[in-house]
Amino acid sequence: MNNQELSDQINVSCQWVPQVKEEMGKVLVGQADLVDRLIVGLLCKGHILLEGVPGLAKTLAIKALSGCLRTDFSRLQFTPDLLPSDLLGTMIYNPREAEFTAKLGPIFSNIILADEINRAPAKVQSALLEAMQERQVTIGDTTYPLPDPFLVLATQNPIDQEGTYQLPEAQLDRFLLKVTVSYPSREEELTILDRMATSEPIYETKPVVEMDTLAQSIHLVNQIYIDPAVRKYIVELVHVTRYPAKVDASLKNLIRSGSSPRATINLALAARAKAFMDGRAFVTPQDIKLLAHDVLRHRILPSYEAEAEDVTTDSLIDRILSRVPVP
């Protein structure tokens, strides 16, 4: 398939993207960046972590997205007393047959809403890790494949809030994006007031995307062209997170650990998804810059010195982006 044919197919196939945005706009006010990132996750079959204080519509956004798709959806409320078997399933003894049979848990769905994921204990996080990376679950001696697609869309409150715990770095690295959800503007909050200050607010969306359409779109995303210069730009950005002193000596003592190669892969994949959403058959450096914060913010560990100076991970990424030449 040549570039023109691919471009024509993308222009036809991406028509569902504005339909999803319009449908989600019926229950969400503002949060355009959040909606964009959720659609990027769909197109990449990648897990997404949403972080923000309570009440910013994180859970509502995920439920609204799932309502736009004709697919299976499970909501899991993570609590300190949650057990791995509550998530994955367990073996149940059948006295009539004198044998154990597997009862599969709610994780066997296409889209999983892991609500307040950072309130669950370490055993549950470890059980979720295999599902997120391998797309499979082991119960007893048997391994069961998870549905395709399988996405974990998780929410968490900031870790300085009561009853929350830092997720392990290995698990954080499995998330394609970590999206920070911010407060609405005054105008948006007025709209929220007008729309939601009623005993019967609108929380439901209707299906507008078939799974076959989504599968075709994912196939096209994987064919989107990335120029060698843009590929080198992606690698350089991630490389600088590991050796920041090469571009800025002041960054040397502010980053304890840089991003893994998974960041390189995910940044390229997310940029392809963004290009598809815009109806393009190629990735631009602006796609990379637009998604760099969401891909890198949970993969960079600031040093104790950075924390003492109130230097945030986002500000470190800003400085890296300003130092690395754009092709």
Side-chain angles (χ1 to χ4, degrees), residues 14 30 213 238 255 281:
C14 73
T213 303
V238 177
I255 297 178

Side-chain angles (χ1 to χ4, degrees), residues 37-50 65 110-112 132-133 135 148-154 173-179 214 218 262 266 269-270 273 298-299:
R37 302 309 185 263
L38 288 173
I39 296 174
V40 166
L42 268 183
L43 291 168
C44 298
K45 296 201 288 188
H47 314 299
I48 296 182
L49 178 62
L50 308 183
L65 177 68
N110 295 111
I111 296 180
I112 304 295
M132 291 175 65
Q133 181 59 29
R135 259 72 174 187
D148 183 33
F150 171 74
L151 280 76
V152 174
L153 304 179
D173 202 33
R174 265 66 177 186
F175 284 101
L176 172 76
L177 307 174
K178 179 183 177 183
V179 182
L214 180 60
I218 291 170
R262 196 176 278 121
N266 287 346
L269 186 55
H298 55 300
R299 295 184 164 96

Side-chain angles (χ1 to χ4, degrees), residues 24-326:
M24 292 182 69
K26 295 177 182 178
V27 298
L28 281 178
V29 177
Q31 304 292 9
D33 289 343
L34 170 58
V35 173
D36 273 358
R37 302 309 185 263
L38 288 173
I39 296 174
V40 166
L42 268 183
L43 291 168
C44 298
K45 296 201 288 188
H47 314 299
I48 296 182
L49 178 62
L50 308 183
E51 182 178 270
V53 298
L56 295 183
K58 302 185 297 297
T59 302
L60 179 60
I62 295 172
K63 290 178 68 178
L65 177 68
S66 68
C68 294
L69 309 171
R70 296 187 189 277
T71 185
D72 295 331
F73 171 73
S74 289
R75 173 176 176 168
L76 302 171
Q77 191 67 44
F78 280 53
T79 57
D81 60 348
L82 193 71
L83 298 174
S85 58
D86 297 330
L87 184 68
L88 309 181
T90 188
M91 301 298 291
I92 295 179
Y93 183 70
N94 185 341
R96 180 177 301 174
E97 304 292 337
E99 63 181 13
F100 285 92
T101 56
K103 178 176 173 57
L104 303 182
I107 200 170
F108 287 86
S109 292
N110 295 111
I111 296 180
I112 304 295
L113 165 53
D115 210 12
E116 298 189 288
I117 190 173
N118 60 335
R119 295 186 185 274
K123 283 187 177 181
V124 175
Q125 306 296 354
S126 297
L128 189 59
L129 197 61
E130 179 188 9
M132 291 175 65
Q133 181 59 29
E134 308 296 337
R135 259 72 174 187
Q136 65 182 29
V137 164
T138 302
I139 303 174
D141 297 329
T142 307
T143 298
Y144 299 89
L146 290 165
D148 183 33
F150 171 74
L151 280 76
V152 174
L153 304 179
T155 70
Q156 73 170 16
N157 300 133
I159 59 170
D160 55 349
Q161 294 207 335
E162 186 70 26
T164 59
Y165 308 95
Q166 179 70 53
L167 293 179
E169 284 79 6
Q171 185 172 1
L172 282 172
D173 202 33
R174 265 66 177 186
F175 284 101
L176 172 76
L177 307 174
K178 179 183 177 183
V179 182
T180 302
V181 185
S182 57
Y183 288 110
S185 65
R186 283 189 178 89
E187 293 75 16
E188 290 171 346
E189 198 149 1
L190 276 171
T191 305
I192 292 171
L193 174 63
D194 294 338
R195 187 183 296 183
M196 296 297 187
T198 170
S199 59
E200 296 180 352
I202 299 174
Y203 288 138
E204 302 293 329
T205 52
K206 64 181 181 182
V208 293
V209 185
E210 301 290 342
M211 294 310 293
D212 289 345
T213 303
L214 180 60
Q216 181 190 17
S217 297
I218 291 170
H219 176 70
L220 291 173
V221 164
N222 292 329
Q223 300 180 58
I224 287 177
Y225 177 70
I226 304 180
D227 188 81
V230 178
R231 298 209 307 268
K232 289 179 181 178
Y233 180 55
I234 294 171
V235 171
E236 186 62 20
L237 282 175
V238 177
H239 186 77
V240 166
T241 67
R242 303 167 196 159
Y243 308 102
K246 290 186 176 181
V247 295
D248 188 342
S250 66
L251 290 172
K252 180 179 180 180
N253 298 320
L254 298 180
I255 297 178
R256 182 161 33 122
S257 176
S259 301
S260 71
R262 196 176 278 121
T264 310
I265 297 167
N266 287 346
L267 188 51
L269 186 55
R272 277 183 162 137
K274 181 60 179 168
F276 173 87
M277 292 168 62
D278 292 342
R280 284 183 280 108
F282 57 91
V283 170
T284 68
Q286 186 59 32
D287 296 327
I288 308 301
K289 296 182 74 172
L290 194 66
L291 292 160
H293 288 80
D294 299 310
V295 173
L296 298 176
R297 68 162 55 97
H298 55 300
R299 295 184 164 96
I300 295 176
L301 284 179
S303 66
Y304 299 115
E305 183 178 331
E307 292 174 358
E309 296 177 7
D310 289 330
V311 177
T312 64
T313 306
D314 279 357
S315 66
L316 291 172
I317 296 170
D318 283 334
R319 289 165 68 173
I320 290 171
L321 287 171
S322 67
R323 300 297 191 277
V324 177
V326 180

